[in-house]
Amino acid sequence: MLDLYREMRILRRIDDEATALQRQGELGLWPPVRGQEAAQLASARALTPGDFVFTSYREHGLALHRGVRGADLVKVWRGVAGTGWNPHEIRLATQQVIIGAHTLHAVGWALGETIERGEQHPDAAVAYLGDGAMSEGDVAEAMVFAASFRLPVIFFCQNNQWAISEPVTLQAPGELADRGLGFGIPSVRVDGNDALAVYAVTREALERAHTGGGPTLIEAVTYRMGPHTTADDPTRYRTAEEVAAWAERDPIDRLAALLRSEGVLDDEAEREVAAAADAAAAELRAGCVALADPEPLAVFDHVYAEPNRTIERERAEYQRYLAGFADANGFVEVDR
Ligand SMILES: Cc1ncc(C[n+]2csc(CCOP(=O)(O)OP(=O)(O)O)c2C)c(N)n1
Ligand SMILES: [Mg+2]
């Protein structure tokens, strides 16, 4: 539990550092995870290394827990790489910005594994999605396939109350977990700011997935304490009272209170955790500012595995555009 607490504090510290880096012009964008540390890290801890994780853009906790460090956590947000890690090495897919699409990737992966390795294969696909994603057609399709084929999939929904400026109450008159039941998927609603409860329900869902019991939907009720991204101003659509009420349920404070009452966390341990968090933030910053800009035309690499005419045309267009700028001597390349 102390280790989990330590990781939650490190995540919050690097989240703040990345937000600062964006404000200083070092990152193009950053989606803060503040408030969702228990939902992400307690569930991540319940997974086994063979489970394949598919996330959207806010799940920095999953990356941290799977071993992504320093600049690799922010490469994508600086716009210098398509991914910060090798998905196959750490069994964590590249972040998916298309809302809900990765639930189909997770189900496709689980179906493929089941066909190739048989129904009792021990690895699960775990898809992290938001409350807003629950309104997407892709997610409905993913749930139908997962339920029909009894696939080892966990749909881990972080209900953080907001989909940018749309409150969950607009998208769901009832509880999101109830939707899973309609697909025939065992579903559970858990306090997503209670690290131990999150850990317990994720373990249970994994047990089901690993033993041929099929999918589970977990709705972890939590709160996005920060803006949607660094490009968003949440004061335009939510009240200070709401934010203050959720601050009282801060998942890190709650775990700290428990650990202190159990005599596990003392001032010395707290200092060690703070130092580790500062070191992780310093490593992130140093790695980030040292990242070299890629060659601009590299953006067209790896879009398709094989040559593609549309991409080739776009690459040529962009090359002409870039050539239209004067070089260091003031010369412009003329394309005849
Ligand atoms: C298919 C699709 N539609 C719309 C968007 C624009 N968009 C980006 S984030 C977002 C809100 C998602 O909210 P939620 O699923 O609750 O995740 P959260 O941001 O709260 O983690 C939307 C609509 C998108 N990226 N993809
Ligand atoms: Mg949300």
Side-chain angles (χ1 to χ4, degrees), residues 227-289:
H228 172 68
T229 67
T230 47
D232 172 49
D233 173 9
T235 63
R236 294 176 63 183
Y237 55 81
R238 68 184 187 187
T239 64
E241 290 74 34
E242 177 186 310
V243 178
W246 279 94
E248 285 175 20
R249 301 172 215 167
D250 188 311
I252 295 187
D253 294 347
R254 281 173 65 178
L255 189 55
L258 174 68
L259 295 182
R260 280 199 179 263
S261 74
E262 299 275 331
V264 180
L265 182 66
D266 55 19
D267 291 349
E268 197 192 322
E270 196 73 78
R271 272 194 297 277
E272 188 280 324
V273 168
D278 284 343
E283 186 192 355
L284 173 74
R285 170 171 291 272
C288 172
V289 299

Side-chain angles (χ1 to χ4, degrees), residues 6 38 79 93 96 101 148 159 163 215-216 240 270 275 288 296 308:
R6 192 171 186 272
Q96 181 57 253
S148 300
N159 175 0
T216 302
E270 196 73 78
C288 172
N308 175 282

Side-chain angles (χ1 to χ4, degrees), residues 81-168:
T83 180
W85 54 84
N86 179 339
H88 297 287
E89 262 169 27
I90 59 170
R91 295 211 152 207
L92 174 65
T94 300
Q95 298 105 312
Q96 181 57 253
V97 175
I98 303 170
I99 301 300
H102 59 290
T103 57
L104 289 169
H105 305 162
V107 168
W109 181 85
L111 184 57
E113 290 288 297
T114 303
I115 291 168
E116 284 179 6
R117 294 167 59 192
E119 268 178 28
Q120 295 297 323
H121 78 82
D123 301 326
V126 188
Y128 284 80
L129 64 154
D131 46 289
M134 288 290 287
S135 300
E136 288 286 345
D138 279 1
V139 176
E141 291 168 17
M143 288 188 179
V144 168
F145 271 80
S148 300
F149 292 97
R150 273 178 90 82
L151 296 174
V153 179
I154 298 177
F155 296 94
F156 192 99
C157 175
Q158 292 169 88
N159 175 0
N160 65 5
Q161 311 301 318
W162 291 94
I164 311 186
S165 55
E166 300 291 0
V168 66

Side-chain angles (χ1 to χ4, degrees), residues 134 143 157 159 172-190 216-221:
M134 288 290 287
M143 288 188 179
C157 175
N159 175 0
E175 296 185 0
L176 290 171
D178 288 347
R179 288 194 195 164
L181 301 176
F183 292 95
I185 296 178
S187 303
V188 57
R189 185 175 224 239
V190 65
T216 302
L217 168 65
I218 297 171
E219 178 193 1
V221 180

